[in-house]
């Protein structure tokens, strides 16, 4: 019995490094790595874009409607402004709005969704009704109305307005997941030991919602970026502040397509497409890592196969045989003592 107890303790002690290796597989996913690389490039441009820009994006010159060249890699506008500098400087505004809106919307969705799902009674009813109201409100038209009445529609203000209209869907998803988790055995055990409600939510519920929260954050960032560009393109946002939507606004206002100045709008459009692709690839990577139907299985010792997820699969050897094959041709594990948890 002592030998078996020591072997069981060794198995449990070896589980966390395996779990950590499994989690690192998320970063080794091809979609995730590609998305993070593209996203990292845009973050670098957002931080250092003003220093990397060769010209003042608002400065006019005599080089009017010049196609791409060594002097102007993305060409110039009809007033001689350098489009390459406009794209570099405009990257910061797009990312600031996207990530600030994603952060605040995610915080609101976690607070409302998890609280609504874990609580019961009148609290759940009130929070659910509040979420349903925001679900049926058309987001973009409301953003346009609010932004048009604001005296200063800067990046942070627009990000806050977008976050106030983009949290409801994430809250609804988190509520459904929390309703599923609150009846699990480990939650009931925590309640039985006298744990407080906030401690159960923080240490038992939220860790199992990490992937759902991350996926919701990425989706909200995509929505916020597209909303910011849309507001700038239709002239609701401050058009004196450079971002990719502002570039498209001036290109459309000055009939760039009719003049054959394709270089005026194509670079900004490609940047929007690349940023959306990067965020989507990261979202796909999160989904493949978490979803048991999409996760790729890996081979472990003894020819057995296991799924990669947040919760490790602990297998106790039978009779100290280690990885040796059993008499029935199995991998030597005891089916009655094998424990496996399915990650959410």
């Amino acid at each position: 019995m002592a030998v078996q107890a020591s072997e069981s303790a060794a198995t449990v002690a070896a589980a966390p490094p395996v779990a950590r290796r499994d989690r690192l597989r998320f970063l080794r996913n091809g979609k995730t790595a590609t998305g993070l690389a593209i996203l990292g490039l845009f973050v670098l441009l957002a931080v250092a874009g003003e220093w990397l820009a060769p010209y003042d994006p608002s400065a006019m010159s005599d080089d009017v409607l010049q196609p791409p060249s060594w002097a102007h890699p993305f060409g110039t506008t009809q007033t001689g402004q350098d489009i390459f500098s406009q794209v570099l400087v405009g990257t910061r505004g797009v990312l600031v709005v996207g990530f600030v809106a994603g952060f605040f919307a995610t915080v609101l969705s976690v607070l409302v969704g998890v609280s609504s799902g874990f609580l019961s009674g009148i609290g759940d009813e009130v929070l659910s009704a509040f979420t349903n109201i925001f679900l049926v409100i058309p987001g973009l038209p409301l953003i346009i109305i609010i932004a048009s009445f604001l005296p200063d529609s800067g990046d942070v203000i627009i990000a806050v307005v977008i976050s106030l209209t983009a949290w409801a869907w994430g809250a609804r998803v988190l509520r459904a997941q929390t309703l599923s988790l609150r009846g699990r055995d480990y939650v009931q055990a925590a309640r039985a030991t006298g744990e407080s409600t906030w401690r159960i939510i923080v240490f038992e519920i939220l860790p199992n919602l990490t992937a759902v929260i991350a996926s919701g954050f990425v989706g909200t960032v995509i929505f916020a970026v597209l909303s910011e560009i849309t507001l700038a393109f239709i002239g609701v946002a401050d058009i004196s502040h450079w971002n990719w939507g502002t570039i498209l606004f001036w290109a459309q206002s000055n009939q760039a397509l009719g003049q054959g100045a394709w270089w005026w709008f194509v670079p900004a459009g490609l940047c929007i497409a690349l940023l959306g692709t990067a965020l989507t690839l990261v979202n796909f990577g999160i989904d493949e890592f978490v979803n048991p139907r999409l996760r790729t299985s890996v081979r472990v010792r003894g020819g057995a196969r296991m799924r990669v997820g947040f919760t490790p699969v602990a297998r106790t050897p039978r009779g100290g045989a280690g990885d040796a094959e059993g008499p029935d041709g199995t991998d030597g594990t005891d089916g009655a003592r094998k424990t496996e948890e399915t990650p959410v």
Side-chain angles (χ1 to χ4, degrees):
M1 293 296 294
V3 174
Q4 291 182 354
S6 61
E7 289 176 352
S8 300
T11 303
V12 174
V18 174
R20 286 194 292 269
R21 289 197 298 269
D22 291 343
R23 293 187 181 101
L24 289 178
R25 289 182 60 83
F26 169 70
L27 298 178
R28 294 198 296 267
N29 182 284
K31 296 176 182 178
T32 304
T34 304
L36 290 177
I38 299 174
L39 186 60
L41 175 61
F42 281 117
V43 171
L44 178 63
L45 294 179
V47 173
E50 292 185 353
W51 295 282
L52 296 176
Y55 304 95
D56 183 353
S58 301
M60 301 181 184
S61 66
D62 296 331
D63 298 330
V64 178
L65 281 182
Q66 295 297 314
S69 61
W70 287 110
H72 302 282
F74 290 170
T76 60
T77 67
Q78 68 174 9
T79 57
Q81 296 170 329
D82 183 62
I83 299 175
F84 181 66
S85 300
Q86 293 177 356
V87 171
L88 291 179
V89 174
T91 304
R92 178 179 298 177
V94 173
L95 292 188
V96 166
V97 171
F99 284 100
V100 171
F103 173 78
F104 283 111
T106 302
V107 171
L108 285 174
S109 64
V110 170
L111 290 176
V112 176
V114 176
S115 299
S116 176
F118 192 79
L119 299 176
S120 59
I122 189 64
D124 184 21
E125 295 294 335
V126 171
L127 292 177
S128 296
F130 187 63
T131 303
N132 292 334
I133 292 173
F134 275 86
L135 274 176
V136 299
I137 294 177
L140 187 58
L142 181 61
I143 294 171
I144 294 174
I145 294 173
I146 296 176
S148 61
F149 281 98
L150 291 175
D152 180 19
S153 55
D155 291 338
V156 177
I157 298 298
I158 292 179
V160 172
V161 173
I162 293 174
S163 64
L164 291 176
T165 59
W167 62 269
W169 179 254
R172 175 59 62 187
V173 174
L174 289 174
R175 178 182 180 274
Q177 293 295 323
T178 305
L179 286 172
S180 174
L181 290 175
R182 72 178 185 179
R184 300 294 177 89
D185 293 339
Y186 57 88
V187 176
Q188 299 298 328
R191 284 175 170 173
T193 57
E195 296 287 350
S196 60
T197 300
W198 72 268
R199 186 175 180 84
I200 295 175
I201 293 177
V202 173
F203 293 99
E204 303 293 344
I205 301 296
L206 286 182
N208 289 280
L209 295 175
T210 303
V212 180
I213 295 173
S215 180
F217 171 77
V218 173
T220 306
V221 171
I222 296 175
F223 171 77
V225 168
L226 295 179
S227 299
E228 159 71 357
I229 292 170
T230 301
L231 292 175
F233 179 70
I234 63 180
V236 175
D238 186 6
I239 57 176
S240 64
H241 183 73
W242 289 107
N243 61 54
W244 300 338
T246 307
I247 298 173
L248 297 178
F249 169 81
W250 289 113
Q252 188 271 340
S253 300
N254 293 280
Q255 301 295 321
L257 182 61
Q259 299 184 63
W262 56 268
W263 56 86
W264 198 341
F265 54 87
V266 168
L270 287 178
C271 287
I272 296 171
L274 282 176
L275 180 59
T277 301
L279 293 171
T280 303
L281 288 175
V282 173
N283 201 6
F284 285 165
I286 295 173
D287 196 20
E288 289 184 0
F289 180 70
V290 175
N291 194 334
R293 298 175 182 269
L294 299 178
R295 263 179 281 147
T296 56
S297 57
V298 295
R299 187 172 297 276
V300 296
R301 291 185 303 170
R305 302 179 71 85
M306 59 179 284
R307 292 287 187 177
V308 179
F310 283 112
T311 306
V313 179
R315 304 180 188 275
T316 305
R318 179 173 58 187
D323 294 319
E325 268 194 7
D328 56 350
T330 62
D331 59 351
T333 58
D334 189 350
R337 299 175 58 191
K338 179 169 34 179
T339 60
E340 181 172 348
E341 293 182 20
T342 302
V344 179

